[in-house]
Amino acid sequence: MHDDEIHERCGEDAIHYLAFQRHIICLLIAISILSVCVILPVNLSGDLLDKDPYSFGRTTIVNLQTSNNLLWLHTVFAVVYLILTVVFMRHHMKYVTYKEENIVKCTLFITGLPKNASEEIVQNHFTDAYPTCTVLEVQLCYDVARLINLFKKRKQAEKSLIYYEHLHQKYGKRVQINPKPCGQFCCCEMRGCEREDAVDYYTKVRNELEEEYSKEEQAVHNNPLGMAFVTFQEKSMATYILKDFNACKCQSIKCKGEPQPSPYSRELCVSSWEVTYAPYPENICWKNLSVRGFKWWFRWACINLLLFLVLFFLTTPSIIISTMDKFNVTKPIHYLNNPVISQFFPTLLLWSFSALLPTIVYYSTLLECHWTKSAENRIMMHKVYIFLIFMVLILPSLGLTSLDFFFRWLFDRESSDSAVRLECVFLPDQGAFFVNYVIASAFVGNGMELLRLPGLILYTIRMIMAKSTAERKNIKQQQAFEYEFGAMYAWMLCVFTVIMAYSITCPIIVPFGLIYILLKHMVDRHNLYYAYLPAKLEKKMHFAAVNQALAAPILCLFWLYFYSFVRLGFKAPTTMFTLLVVNITIVICLAYTCFGCFKYLSPLNYRIEETQGERGKDTDVPTVPTSSMYVPQVLRAHPTERTVLAPAEQQSYGTMDNTSSQAEGIRNYSAGPAGVEQAPGASL
């Protein structure tokens, strides 16, 4: 499929993601040529190890004598790799066009409002304080978490009721169901497992949910959150007000001033407002807006502390593998005396345990209740990347199997078990482990992404828990989810970091890394187009991925410095030069991040594509968003399943067009018993 087709179906975020992969591919092609044609022959020219042509250590930097002047070549090439990465990432962001829509730039998101504030008072405040700015609408935010949950349950009950009513009208028979979880597998009637008429049961459930939904819908307006979306007539008006509030932010102890006052300023507590541009309406997680302040931070701290304890202390892959060895679980593998299996099996175990990490971190990030999907994906990417780097790269490279050993080495100096021999870190065959890891990620990992095993497991559990055939059909129609850009960026960048970190010390890893990225690109193109729903994220998500990619060549420099320090000593010229380059790189990164220096070196330069309404003059009337754009769907006027069946039905696995799937879904509800069941493989 062409990129235009992917853009039309999946959105511009998918195009940015695939363009990022293509630049990584081009970067790895250049690095592969340099590593294989220059670094690898230099390593093979050494004579420190044996002359066995099958010895893997001869391809590594360990094969060179410490007095060999060719070691300077490795340091220079590490700097070249850093420069190449910056150049390719800058080229990627230079040709990324990002469409800024009027609805985002014309709307401000305000927090810190009193809960008793009304839309009229907020609008009057802006009218009096900023007479030149025209307010089009003010939308207050309410706690709709429970309302959203009731809406989903009511919709499912209505669809199930329509399904069984169609069966009754067409075939004249009433279906009996067991309304208990896993009731479809109960083949005998006993006390507590009585069967009920399907139409009567779902009619009762629908009526109860409608009554509860109506009460909650009336009560939700009595529970405001102290937030509002204020839409202005033009972008310049929103920008002017935003600058006015930003100029009043406190710096150190003193504040610069107060925003422009109005008769309502004291009543609205304007000095405590936080004003930002509003995110895209599709990017907002409405049910999470009610979690804020101390409650949000306490929730965040508890979840991440528990995640750290579970993932780092208890389920580090190295700890799991060593525990399995204590119980002789892997002993039969060694009895096979097969070098391929004995060397590849630990790598496969490490990859398998590491593959569980994105799923665990994914659900932990969902529990944090972020207000936008972009923030959710961005935090997910950082968390998954950090954990994967520690588990896959840093701890195995340093020979540390757990933090228990690390703390004993740090605090217990007298124990003989705490002695760490740093000269054993860069062993000749150590790079083979990471080459095997990249190969496993390329073929096994990408194959698992095609299978979408976590989604398949979740689908199976939901199908088992379904009460009836109608609920199974609803589950099949709701199996398509938005693409998890955060987890996928992190997984790909983890492997990319491993490749870059060992591209100098073990250059043979780079061609296998190129194979991984090529296969990953093809798999992601297929999954984005056929298996996932389009997502609407902010540009910060893709900027964070570019910044994270720049950490890979910096880690390569650290790795080379660590090798020079251990093998050559601190006063060696190559060690001092590598340390100088590392310090300069760190200073540039800190100056750019903290003080905004070196902006011209930044790869985060993107072009903004103007919308049609923005290409005209400023006096032209811009596209005005409808009054329901910043209102949750559950608070809009919407038809029930009785009148219109799912006007925007979710895409199911394997569908090619949304409209066709909607029409097919309507026809399926009138199908007979022979056409009721659908094979699970067809929906996956």
Side-chain angles (χ1 to χ4, degrees):
M1 76 243 9
H2 197 266
D3 280 356
D4 293 337
E5 298 175 343
I6 297 178
H7 183 271
E8 182 180 358
R9 182 176 178 84
C10 307
E12 59 184 6
D13 290 291
I15 296 299
H16 296 167
Y17 176 72
L18 295 175
F20 176 82
Q21 286 185 340
R22 284 194 290 268
H23 281 78
I24 294 293
I25 290 172
C26 295
L27 173 62
L28 287 181
I29 290 175
I31 294 177
S32 297
I33 295 173
L34 295 176
S35 296
V36 174
C37 297
V38 180
I39 302 296
L40 183 59
V42 169
N43 293 344
L44 291 173
S45 66
D47 55 359
L48 188 60
L49 301 178
D50 54 2
K51 296 295 184 179
D52 183 9
Y54 296 101
S55 174
F56 181 84
R58 294 184 64 240
T59 65
T60 65
I61 195 175
V62 185
N63 193 38
L64 294 176
Q65 295 283 353
T66 56
S67 59
N68 197 326
N69 291 327
L70 290 176
L71 289 174
W72 278 97
L73 192 65
H74 296 76
T75 305
V76 172
F77 268 68
V79 178
V80 171
Y81 289 174
L82 174 62
I83 297 174
L84 283 176
T85 306
V86 174
V87 170
F88 275 92
M89 291 298 100
R90 183 179 175 85
H91 184 273
H92 164 59
M93 297 308 298
K94 182 179 180 181
Y95 289 96
V96 167
T97 58
Y98 213 94
K99 184 182 296 184
E100 296 287 1
E101 300 178 4
N102 282 339
I103 187 170
V104 177
K105 290 299 183 179
C106 291
T107 305
L108 297 178
F109 179 50
I110 302 174
T111 59
L113 284 167
K115 292 189 176 182
N116 59 352
S118 63
E119 297 176 356
E120 292 78 14
I121 295 179
V122 175
Q123 185 168 356
N124 292 337
H125 163 75
F126 283 104
T127 303
D128 294 346
Y130 306 94
T132 59
C133 300
T134 304
V135 179
L136 296 182
E137 65 170 0
V138 177
Q139 293 289 349
L140 297 178
C141 300
Y142 302 94
D143 186 2
V144 294
R146 187 167 181 268
L147 193 65
I148 292 175
N149 187 35
L150 291 174
F151 176 78
K152 292 180 179 179
K153 290 182 178 180
R154 190 192 72 173
K155 184 177 179 181
Q156 292 175 359
E158 288 178 348
K159 293 172 70 175
S160 300
L161 177 60
I162 291 174
Y163 173 83
Y164 284 111
E165 283 182 343
H166 282 190
L167 284 182
H168 177 63
Q169 293 173 3
K170 190 169 184 178
Y171 296 96
K173 67 176 184 179
R174 311 277 286 193
V175 179
Q176 299 289 320
I177 63 171
N178 188 337
K180 299 289 189 300
C182 306
Q184 55 184 322
F185 301 106
C186 186
C187 56
C188 57
E189 293 190 22
M190 60 182 67
R191 188 174 181 181
C193 293
E194 297 84 0
R195 291 182 175 273
E196 297 184 29
D197 183 81
V199 175
D200 295 340
Y201 172 75
Y202 284 111
T203 301
K204 179 181 66 175
V205 172
R206 184 203 60 183
N207 294 336
E208 292 175 354
L209 290 173
E210 281 185 349
E211 182 180 357
E212 194 173 358
Y213 181 85
S214 299
K215 292 180 180 179
E216 183 67 22
E217 192 174 18
Q218 295 174 0
V220 74
H221 293 281
N222 298 325
N223 192 14
L225 298 176
M227 307 174 187
F229 292 95
V230 182
T231 303
F232 297 89
Q233 189 176 16
E234 296 179 2
K235 287 196 311 181
S236 57
M237 301 176 182
T239 304
Y240 172 74
I241 295 176
L242 180 63
K243 289 181 178 180
D244 184 41
F245 275 89
N246 287 340
C248 301
K249 286 185 177 180
C250 293
Q251 295 182 351
S252 299
I253 300 177
K254 299 181 180 179
C255 291
K256 290 185 176 181
E258 294 289 333
Q260 296 186 21
S262 76
Y264 308 95
S265 296
R266 180 173 297 181
E267 180 182 356
L268 294 176
C269 302
V270 176
S271 58
S272 62
W273 284 8
E274 291 289 336
V275 182
T276 58
Y277 279 124
Y280 293 103
E282 304 90 342
N283 191 27
I284 301 174
C285 301
W286 295 102
K287 63 180 180 181
N288 296 340
L289 293 181
S290 58
V291 184
R292 63 194 189 280
F294 175 78
K295 180 181 178 181
W296 190 93
W297 284 107
F298 179 76
R299 184 189 188 103
W300 179 88
C302 292
I303 290 173
N304 285 281
L305 178 62
L306 180 62
L307 183 70
F308 178 81
L309 294 175
V310 170
L311 293 179
F312 213 79
F313 284 97
L314 302 180
T315 58
T316 303
S318 302
I319 297 178
I320 296 178
I321 294 175
S322 61
T323 305
M324 293 173 64
D325 289 336
K326 290 180 181 178
F327 291 97
N328 295 327
V329 176
T330 59
K331 201 169 184 179
I333 300 296
H334 299 285
Y335 286 153
L336 295 176
N337 293 325
N338 190 326
V340 177
I341 297 178
S342 61
Q343 293 179 11
F344 193 73
F345 186 72
T347 306
L348 186 61
L349 282 179
L350 177 63
W351 183 91
S352 301
F353 293 129
S354 300
L356 298 175
L357 180 64
T359 303
I360 297 174
V361 176
Y362 170 73
Y363 285 106
S364 72
T365 309
L366 291 181
L367 293 175
E368 292 176 359
C369 296
H370 292 279
W371 289 0
T372 61
K373 298 175 185 177
S374 295
E376 190 175 88
N377 278 271
R378 191 169 65 252
I379 297 300
M380 184 190 307
M381 178 181 67
H382 293 318
K383 289 167 63 175
V384 173
Y385 179 79
I386 291 173
F387 279 117
L388 280 176
I389 287 300
F390 269 94
M391 287 185 177
V392 175
L393 180 62
I394 296 179
L395 291 180
S397 296
L398 298 180
L400 301 177
T401 57
S402 67
L403 283 184
D404 176 55
F405 181 80
F406 174 75
F407 286 128
R408 279 191 288 138
W409 168 75
L410 192 62
F411 299 109
D412 190 4
R413 296 292 185 179
E414 298 179 357
S415 175
S416 59
D417 296 335
S418 63
V420 177
R421 300 179 62 186
L422 293 179
E423 65 271 12
C424 296
V425 172
F426 287 96
L427 296 175
D429 293 332
Q430 187 186 38
F433 174 82
F434 293 98
V435 173
N436 290 335
Y437 176 79
V438 173
I439 294 174
S441 299
F443 297 101
V444 181
N446 288 320
M448 296 294 286
E449 287 187 20
L450 276 178
L451 290 176
R452 302 191 298 281
L453 192 59
L456 180 61
I457 295 174
L458 180 61
Y459 170 81
T460 304
I461 295 174
R462 294 179 65 192
M463 291 291 286
I464 292 174
M465 297 298 294
K467 303 174 185 177
S468 62
T469 304
E471 291 191 4
R472 292 201 303 270
K473 182 173 288 293
N474 292 338
I475 292 171
K476 293 175 184 178
Q477 293 177 347
Q478 297 172 359
Q479 278 306 297
F481 302 100
E482 291 185 358
Y483 193 77
E484 300 167 8
F485 284 101
M488 295 305 168
Y489 263 129
W491 188 263
M492 177 181 62
L493 289 173
C494 170
V495 181
F496 174 68
T497 304
V498 171
I499 297 166
M500 293 295 294
Y502 280 89
S503 60
I504 297 294
T505 58
C506 179
I508 202 172
I509 197 175
V510 185
F512 295 104
L514 178 60
I515 294 174
Y516 165 79
I517 296 294
L518 287 171
L519 294 176
K520 173 74 172 171
H521 183 69
M522 292 187 290
V523 169
D524 286 342
R525 287 178 71 91
H526 174 274
N527 285 343
L528 281 167
Y529 192 79
Y530 291 105
Y532 290 95
L533 295 173
K536 184 69 172 178
L537 304 177
E538 296 176 351
K539 57 181 178 288
K540 292 181 181 179
M541 176 69 213
H542 306 287
F543 289 178
V546 170
N547 280 330
Q548 212 152 269
L550 296 177
I554 297 176
L555 270 177
C556 178
L557 285 170
F558 268 107
W559 243 237
L560 194 59
Y561 167 72
F562 189 64
Y563 168 81
S564 300
F565 176 77
V566 171
R567 297 292 183 181
L568 308 179
F570 179 74
K571 295 183 178 180
T574 54
T575 305
M576 299 297 292
F577 178 75
T578 308
L579 178 62
L580 178 63
V581 174
V582 169
N583 289 334
I584 292 175
T585 305
I586 293 176
V587 169
I588 292 177
C589 292
L590 291 177
Y592 169 77
T593 304
C594 301
F595 305 104
C597 303
F598 307 104
K599 289 293 185 181
Y600 60 93
L601 295 176
S602 171
L604 305 183
N605 296 320
Y606 65 98
R607 294 188 293 120
I608 297 178
E609 180 181 331
E610 295 181 344
T611 57
Q612 186 174 0
E614 293 173 340
R615 293 192 180 101
K617 298 179 180 179
D618 295 338
T619 57
D620 295 340
V621 179
T623 304
V624 180
T626 60
S627 59
S628 60
M629 289 301 295
Y630 282 99
V631 177
Q633 185 179 1
V634 292
L635 295 181
R636 304 176 191 172
H638 49 80
T640 63
E641 298 289 337
R642 282 286 178 187
T643 56
V644 177
L645 177 61
E649 195 66 64
Q650 269 196 326
Q651 171 187 339
S652 60
Y653 280 175
T655 57
M656 291 293 296
D657 186 75
N658 288 337
T659 56
S660 62
S661 62
Q662 295 166 16
E664 189 66 27
I666 297 175
R667 289 195 297 270
N668 285 342
Y669 271 93
S670 60
V676 167
E677 293 294 334
Q678 180 181 353
S683 62
L684 288 174

